[in-house]
Amino acid sequence: MFEAKSLECVRDDRLLFNDLSFAVAESEVLQIEGANGSGKTSLLRILCGLRLPEAGQVLWQEESIISNREDYYASMVYIGHLPCVKGDLTVLENVRSLLDTRSLSLSNEQIEVALAKVGLASYEDVPGKALSSGQRRRILLAFIELSQAKLWILDEPLTALDVQGVTLMESMIMEHKQAGGSVVFTTHHGMQLECEMSSVQLGRRSRG
Amino acid sequence: MFEAKSLECVRDDRLLFNDLSFAVAESEVLQIEGANGSGKTSLLRILCGLRLPEAGQVLWQEESIISNREDYYASMVYIGHLPCVKGDLTVLENVRSLLDTRSLSLSNEQIEVALAKVGLASYEDVPGKALSSGQRRRILLAFIELSQAKLWILDEPLTALDVQGVTLMESMIMEHKQAGGSVVFTTHHGMQLECEMSSVQLGRRSRG
Amino acid sequence: MNWSEFFHMGGYAFFVWTSYAITFAVMLANIILPIVQRKKVIARIKRSIKREQIEQNREST
Amino acid sequence: MWHWIQRFSSPKHFYGMSAPLIKWFSVSALLLGVYGLYLGLFVAPTDYQQGESYRIIFIHVPAAWMSMFVYMVMAVSSGIGIIWQIRLADMVAAASAPIGASFAFVALVTGSLWGKPMWGAYWVWDARLTSELILLFLYLGYMALQSAIEDQRSADKASGLLAIVGVVNIPIIHYSVEWWNTLHQGATVTKFDKPSMHIDMLIPLLLMAVAFKLFYAALVLVRTRNEALYRDRNRRWVRELVERL
Amino acid sequence: MLKAYYHLLIRDLRLALRSRHELANPLIFFVLVVTLFPLAVTPTPDALQTMAPGVIWVSALLAVLLSLDRLFKLDYEDGSLDQLMLSPNPLMILVLAKVTAHWFLTGLPLVIIAPLLGIFMSLPAEAVIVLIYSLLLGTPVLSLVGAIGVSLTVAVNRGGVLLSLIILPLYIPILIFGANAVDVAADGLPVTGQLLFLGAVLALALSLAPLATSVALRITASR
Amino acid sequence: MLKAYYHLLIRDLRLALRSRHELANPLIFFVLVVTLFPLAVTPTPDALQTMAPGVIWVSALLAVLLSLDRLFKLDYEDGSLDQLMLSPNPLMILVLAKVTAHWFLTGLPLVIIAPLLGIFMSLPAEAVIVLIYSLLLGTPVLSLVGAIGVSLTVAVNRGGVLLSLIILPLYIPILIFGANAVDVAADGLPVTGQLLFLGAVLALALSLAPLATSVALRITASR
Ligand code: HEM
Ligand SMILES: Nc1ncnc2c1ncn2[C@@H]1O[C@H](COP(=O)(O)OP(=O)(O)OP(=O)(O)O)[C@@H](O)[C@H]1O
Ligand SMILES: Nc1ncnc2c1ncn2[C@@H]1O[C@H](COP(=O)(O)OP(=O)(O)OP(=O)(O)O)[C@@H](O)[C@H]1O
Ligand SMILES: [Mg+2]
Ligand SMILES: [Mg+2]
């Protein structure tokens, strides 16, 4: 379904990785591991087509994602280090405008169900700026949940989440896997998934 | 030595804490605990005198820190969520300009010793922008180490540090305590200190 | 003095009456806006009281 | 003494105390205003130089005076708020800004409507006009800063500081523009002769000036009450008060 | 696709309306800068009238320039821009939506307030009307071309002045024709030529700028 | 205390020198804006000369205005500003050091390049000399007063235009006197009065602005 072919990434003077290849099948969960600065974020941005690799390519259903962006983007969702939350919009409007980027028009009820699931019930009308950092991240969880994407690419999804939040994320990934979806993610904290999980290790040598 | 007297903090509509009092003696390590958004950062900024509490006051050697900033600041050091690292300055210059804010003039050798201790040996001449996030935080560790301050106030000191980094931070705190210094810190991850530690708990009710 | 002469203002009607009209409009706005604002503030406080009550009920059950 | 001020300036106390004042101020503003307008529009004689157009004076001059007076109120209460940490003073300052801005606006509009028949242009760049325009900008800056900073306390302190800095600036602007213009004395600067005040003109003018002051007093109280309600929205007294409404 | 355009436009307008002070800012800047000139130059009505077209146009241009960074900056900083670029809809459409919103929020208010300033600076009535037309045709071009510049500099830390370096040279033809039209109109001559030119530039910008902007955004995202 | 001043000044200058394009930016903006005017207005030498003092002064003012946010913005964003505020040295001294650095990096280059632009715009020699003096006295005030404004708005998201709304009214007296001095000098009249006024304002700003700025910074930090 999804395949990375001999990717190479260079930042400033440093070669972060080269000849990196892997594939992700349906119902597969893949963790990208590596120390600080080993290139996890860079890799994920390459997988999204946001960054071009120095060499190699990323394939989605046997086609390069660069030449086939629309299909690819219709079936994947990415969340990065950044919150994507507008302080001036309410929680509901925030989720809605994220869904708009994917041209999904859902009813308020559907969104409210998802918000309740991620622990933001009764927060629909609160503006983004009045949320704590953990609550902001939860808006993204609701977005992923509603995105109807097959492939999830998650960069440090546990950031700012407290213990309950971590459990929630874990169960969301499990559900998605059971529904036949795939997940690629990174994390510094342990994620306890009760399933098998492949992993890719970046930057063996860590300094300092 | 250091005392907080019935502090109150309100953000937007929410009362984060009120009537919060505690004291920190010499050789004492105090952890501020609490869920996301419970007000840890706000409390630490109040303890530094950066933010004014809605009520109550902070005392340093029986005097209010607001009326006595110079003495207080000469003997405390704070690191927050932000890196304080300039991309255009080298590691050495970064440490030096942090020390300049405290009017400390140390020799290059002294600084290099501290850099070696925090794992940045041979990085003296690398510009800040070429560092990974973990290495940036280590500059701050070197700064604390050299600051000659009695009181350390650390907000999430383990952020972005990998396993070795965490161990380093722990041993630095232990050493500081043995030398008669005090530490106030917050963290979401467990810090394993082999010593007794007092703690203050914020915001009992966590929502969502 | 007759009324039409009064409204004519010796040929300066446009300037005089526009001035007065704008002044009164601004004053009226100054009277109305705080009243509207007050209603909004009170409604907002009522809403947040209600929300807290709902939350309290949920916690106690 | 200090405690007395603290207690007296608590928003709760203010809220209770201000209600009757508003009534008195607004009723007397209305009465004086109506009487002043009657005298100004019907009784006062036609000016021999300016014809009827001078009747704009009865709103222009009080509004211009008020625009400066309100700024002083705003700056002084900002100062009190910053130095003595009295919240009520911050609220008064914040409540004054939109009122003062609207007075400045009225002075500008009526002035330029008066300018067309008198000077043949809606606008000339002379000292008084320019400093009034800048006064309006100072008000707008205050309001913009106030609404741009989320944290209420910082917003009050920051915009209060701006108001105080603005006070230093106002005389500087005034004299600089004046000097700049007199240096350039020429066809450009239309000097308007101060109309020799007939007593029948002076009385309505003064009546209107007092009416405007009372009007401001009533408005600022109403707005300060709103501010008090909003800022203390989590305190018990507001909660109880709102529940009774 | 039209829906995507519409949704994004609405979102941007709503965001701007939520923080109302933001809304007024480019306008106030425009008025302020225009008023700086009579203060700095001997304000005889004659001198004012000669300067007026240039001053108003330069100030409008600077106001647009300074408001440009709200086009992508915030979206870039909070990651929303990444999400837009991962949208299955063509990026050009989304860019066009954001530029439209930007024009509604800056260009249009400038067009509306400009006549007043023209009168303050003693422009004759015909010139004021041409001023409106020229701004109406010119400001969308400023937004469209500006978008290219911002998308290139959005990732640069202190982009402000860098942005003006990139953009100002591109703005110069519009400035020359716009100001010249008003100038000529003040002398009572016909100005169809200048306005036609501005119209042609607008058509050109409408067809090319969104493409250039989306290419530039892809380059910027590749960090 | 003097050492703290000196260290901070050196740090800021060094930082600016490291990113050299930053250094040139206000200067280039200044030159660009000044050249926009002859493009927008029919450039008879006479008209140019009447406009020149005003145009040069307004452009200098805008260049300083736009460069202001580098005064505290980056330090605020990366947390260095907090560290400065936790320094045992008086905050006023540190503010003064930063303002000095800002002036060296923007005001001084403007003063140096301005005569060239004056000559381009056919100003007579005496006026050019007065231009230099007036900028020399005026630009430090712009930096000092600007610092108050930036410190108030540094925490605000899209502070750019807000900053100009706050600052421009405060800049107006300096603009009037600076431009007027040059104007008067071009007519061959004495200008000691204006220069004395600028000097007095500078003294006032030097004694009050650092205090106001440090109060403003404490307010801003209290978030
Ligand atoms: C846009 C135009 C105008 C503006 C902004 C303006 C502004 C002001 C201001 C600020 C004052 C108060 C001055 C003080 O008390 O120190 C004032 C007073 C006054 N204005 Fe105007 N004005 C304008 C046009 C005019 C015109 C056209 C006239 C009449 C020809 C006029 C007549 C007066 C008079 C008689 C006073 C009272 C003078 C005094 O208190 O000594 N104004 N105006
Ligand atoms: N904008 C940039 N410019 C230059 N180099 C960069 C940039 N961002 C990152 N790097 C470098 O690229 C390397 C990889 O960065 P990346 O963000 O991919 O790491 P990561 O594995 O995600 O680290 P972390 O665990 O901190 O998120 C780092 O060593 C860093 O120095
Ligand atoms: N700038 C701000 N404006 C308004 N409210 C804020 C601001 N910053 C934080 N808050 C609110 O204050 C509360 C406490 O924030 P604070 O940053 O002190 O929490 P914290 O305990 O440090 O959380 P974390 O674990 O995420 O660091 C949060 O609920 C948040 O909503
Ligand atoms: Mg990363
Ligand atoms: Mg925190």
Side-chain angles (χ1 to χ4, degrees), chain B residues 11-14 51-54, chain D residues 85 150-151 153-154 233-235:
Chain B
R11 300 251 26 184
D12 282 338
D13 303 11
R14 277 176 56 206
R51 187 181 160 80
L52 292 181
E54 262 70 20
Chain D
Q85 308 282 337
E150 241 118 63
D151 184 60
R153 240 178 1 157
S154 314
R233 59 192 178 276
N234 290 315
R235 310 228 170 170

mmCIF file of all heavy atoms in Angstrom, chain B residues 11-14 51-54, chain D residues 85 150-151 153-154 233-235:
data_model
loop_
_atom_site.group_PDB
_atom_site.id
_atom_site.type_symbol
_atom_site.label_atom_id
_atom_site.label_comp_id
_atom_site.label_asym_id
_atom_site.label_seq_id
_atom_site.Cartn_x
_atom_site.Cartn_y
_atom_site.Cartn_z
ATOM 1 N N ARG B 11 -6.309 32.666 35.690
ATOM 2 C CA ARG B 11 -6.049 32.846 34.264
ATOM 3 C C ARG B 11 -7.372 32.839 33.547
ATOM 4 O O ARG B 11 -8.166 31.935 33.736
ATOM 5 C CB ARG B 11 -5.203 31.704 33.696
ATOM 6 C CG ARG B 11 -3.903 31.571 34.345
ATOM 7 C CD ARG B 11 -2.699 31.908 33.699
ATOM 8 N NE ARG B 11 -2.467 32.812 32.663
ATOM 9 C CZ ARG B 11 -1.255 32.945 32.126
ATOM 10 N NH1 ARG B 11 -0.278 32.203 32.524
ATOM 11 N NH2 ARG B 11 -1.044 33.823 31.190
ATOM 12 N N ASP B 12 -7.550 33.852 32.667
ATOM 13 C CA ASP B 12 -8.840 34.000 32.020
ATOM 14 C C ASP B 12 -9.937 33.921 33.071
ATOM 15 O O ASP B 12 -9.978 34.734 33.967
ATOM 16 C CB ASP B 12 -9.036 32.956 30.925
ATOM 17 C CG ASP B 12 -8.262 33.354 29.684
ATOM 18 O OD1 ASP B 12 -7.961 34.541 29.549
ATOM 19 O OD2 ASP B 12 -7.949 32.483 28.874
ATOM 20 N N ASP B 13 -10.787 32.930 32.985
ATOM 21 C CA ASP B 13 -11.874 32.864 33.964
ATOM 22 C C ASP B 13 -11.537 31.969 35.127
ATOM 23 O O ASP B 13 -12.269 31.917 36.106
ATOM 24 C CB ASP B 13 -13.151 32.283 33.326
ATOM 25 C CG ASP B 13 -13.577 33.089 32.138
ATOM 26 O OD1 ASP B 13 -12.782 33.932 31.704
ATOM 27 O OD2 ASP B 13 -14.691 32.886 31.662
ATOM 28 N N ARG B 14 -10.446 31.196 35.002
ATOM 29 C CA ARG B 14 -10.281 30.097 35.946
ATOM 30 C C ARG B 14 -9.344 30.424 37.087
ATOM 31 O O ARG B 14 -8.260 30.972 36.895
ATOM 32 C CB ARG B 14 -9.756 28.873 35.201
ATOM 33 C CG ARG B 14 -10.852 28.095 34.520
ATOM 34 C CD ARG B 14 -10.241 26.976 33.725
ATOM 35 N NE ARG B 14 -9.415 26.117 34.552
ATOM 36 C CZ ARG B 14 -8.417 25.404 34.090
ATOM 37 N NH1 ARG B 14 -8.097 25.470 32.826
ATOM 38 N NH2 ARG B 14 -7.723 24.639 34.902
ATOM 39 N N ARG B 51 5.734 37.119 36.976
ATOM 40 C CA ARG B 51 4.297 37.334 36.944
ATOM 41 C C ARG B 51 3.865 37.751 38.332
ATOM 42 O O ARG B 51 4.418 37.280 39.327
ATOM 43 C CB ARG B 51 3.627 36.009 36.569
ATOM 44 C CG ARG B 51 2.156 36.103 36.338
ATOM 45 C CD ARG B 51 1.554 34.753 36.004
ATOM 46 N NE ARG B 51 0.139 34.833 36.266
ATOM 47 C CZ ARG B 51 -0.734 35.381 35.425
ATOM 48 N NH1 ARG B 51 -0.326 35.816 34.262
ATOM 49 N NH2 ARG B 51 -1.999 35.484 35.746
ATOM 50 N N LEU B 52 2.902 38.655 38.419
ATOM 51 C CA LEU B 52 2.402 39.027 39.729
ATOM 52 C C LEU B 52 1.232 38.131 40.098
ATOM 53 O O LEU B 52 0.350 37.901 39.280
ATOM 54 C CB LEU B 52 1.943 40.482 39.732
ATOM 55 C CG LEU B 52 3.043 41.511 39.577
ATOM 56 C CD1 LEU B 52 2.466 42.899 39.620
ATOM 57 C CD2 LEU B 52 4.085 41.342 40.667
ATOM 58 N N PRO B 53 1.235 37.611 41.312
ATOM 59 C CA PRO B 53 0.103 36.794 41.730
ATOM 60 C C PRO B 53 -1.104 37.703 41.989
ATOM 61 O O PRO B 53 -0.946 38.889 42.251
ATOM 62 C CB PRO B 53 0.585 36.166 43.037
ATOM 63 C CG PRO B 53 1.583 37.131 43.561
ATOM 64 C CD PRO B 53 2.239 37.756 42.367
ATOM 65 N N GLU B 54 -2.311 37.143 41.857
ATOM 66 C CA GLU B 54 -3.501 37.936 42.155
ATOM 67 C C GLU B 54 -3.559 38.286 43.638
ATOM 68 O O GLU B 54 -4.125 39.305 44.026
ATOM 69 C CB GLU B 54 -4.757 37.167 41.744
ATOM 70 C CG GLU B 54 -5.300 37.566 40.393
ATOM 71 C CD GLU B 54 -4.392 37.123 39.252
ATOM 72 O OE1 GLU B 54 -3.575 36.206 39.469
ATOM 73 O OE2 GLU B 54 -4.479 37.708 38.164
ATOM 74 N N GLN D 85 -2.310 50.183 42.164
ATOM 75 C CA GLN D 85 -2.956 48.891 41.935
ATOM 76 C C GLN D 85 -4.439 48.901 42.295
ATOM 77 O O GLN D 85 -4.944 47.962 42.901
ATOM 78 C CB GLN D 85 -2.282 47.774 42.745
ATOM 79 C CG GLN D 85 -0.796 47.672 42.577
ATOM 80 C CD GLN D 85 -0.423 46.999 41.275
ATOM 81 O OE1 GLN D 85 -1.217 46.255 40.709
ATOM 82 N NE2 GLN D 85 0.757 47.281 40.786
ATOM 83 N N GLU D 150 -4.508 39.722 25.692
ATOM 84 C CA GLU D 150 -5.546 38.868 26.223
ATOM 85 C C GLU D 150 -5.669 38.972 27.742
ATOM 86 O O GLU D 150 -6.755 39.115 28.264
ATOM 87 C CB GLU D 150 -5.277 37.419 25.840
ATOM 88 C CG GLU D 150 -6.375 36.850 24.997
ATOM 89 C CD GLU D 150 -5.856 36.447 23.632
ATOM 90 O OE1 GLU D 150 -5.012 35.550 23.602
ATOM 91 O OE2 GLU D 150 -6.268 37.034 22.629
ATOM 92 N N ASP D 151 -4.536 38.922 28.401
ATOM 93 C CA ASP D 151 -4.567 38.933 29.853
ATOM 94 C C ASP D 151 -5.050 40.304 30.322
ATOM 95 O O ASP D 151 -4.425 41.323 30.039
ATOM 96 C CB ASP D 151 -3.168 38.645 30.390
ATOM 97 C CG ASP D 151 -3.152 38.545 31.897
ATOM 98 O OD1 ASP D 151 -3.864 37.668 32.416
ATOM 99 O OD2 ASP D 151 -2.465 39.342 32.548
ATOM 100 N N ARG D 153 -5.174 41.941 33.115
ATOM 101 C CA ARG D 153 -4.332 42.798 33.947
ATOM 102 C C ARG D 153 -3.215 43.430 33.137
ATOM 103 O O ARG D 153 -2.955 44.625 33.228
ATOM 104 C CB ARG D 153 -3.731 41.952 35.076
ATOM 105 C CG ARG D 153 -4.119 42.450 36.434
ATOM 106 C CD ARG D 153 -3.555 41.583 37.540
ATOM 107 N NE ARG D 153 -2.740 40.461 37.085
ATOM 108 C CZ ARG D 153 -1.825 39.871 37.835
ATOM 109 N NH1 ARG D 153 -1.604 40.288 39.048
ATOM 110 N NH2 ARG D 153 -1.152 38.846 37.371
ATOM 111 N N SER D 154 -2.561 42.620 32.310
ATOM 112 C CA SER D 154 -1.504 43.190 31.469
ATOM 113 C C SER D 154 -2.089 44.218 30.531
ATOM 114 O O SER D 154 -1.465 45.247 30.265
ATOM 115 C CB SER D 154 -0.827 42.113 30.638
ATOM 116 O OG SER D 154 -0.533 41.010 31.393
ATOM 117 N N ARG D 233 -16.406 38.531 36.792
ATOM 118 C CA ARG D 233 -17.452 37.563 36.473
ATOM 119 C C ARG D 233 -17.335 36.277 37.269
ATOM 120 O O ARG D 233 -18.291 35.529 37.370
ATOM 121 C CB ARG D 233 -17.454 37.264 34.977
ATOM 122 C CG ARG D 233 -16.154 36.705 34.447
ATOM 123 C CD ARG D 233 -16.178 36.725 32.930
ATOM 124 N NE ARG D 233 -14.939 36.248 32.357
ATOM 125 C CZ ARG D 233 -13.874 37.021 32.177
ATOM 126 N NH1 ARG D 233 -13.893 38.282 32.538
ATOM 127 N NH2 ARG D 233 -12.777 36.527 31.640
ATOM 128 N N ASN D 234 -16.171 36.009 37.836
ATOM 129 C CA ASN D 234 -16.041 34.789 38.616
ATOM 130 C C ASN D 234 -16.131 35.023 40.109
ATOM 131 O O ASN D 234 -15.947 34.103 40.890
ATOM 132 C CB ASN D 234 -14.715 34.118 38.295
ATOM 133 C CG ASN D 234 -14.732 33.550 36.906
ATOM 134 O OD1 ASN D 234 -15.704 32.912 36.518
ATOM 135 N ND2 ASN D 234 -13.702 33.816 36.140
ATOM 136 N N ARG D 235 -16.358 36.272 40.489
ATOM 137 C CA ARG D 235 -16.441 36.510 41.934
ATOM 138 C C ARG D 235 -17.869 36.328 42.402
ATOM 139 O O ARG D 235 -18.821 36.430 41.630
ATOM 140 C CB ARG D 235 -15.972 37.927 42.254
ATOM 141 C CG ARG D 235 -14.655 38.213 41.619
ATOM 142 C CD ARG D 235 -13.680 38.821 42.555
ATOM 143 N NE ARG D 235 -12.373 38.833 41.888
ATOM 144 C CZ ARG D 235 -11.332 39.469 42.344
ATOM 145 N NH1 ARG D 235 -11.412 40.119 43.488
ATOM 146 N NH2 ARG D 235 -10.193 39.434 41.707
#
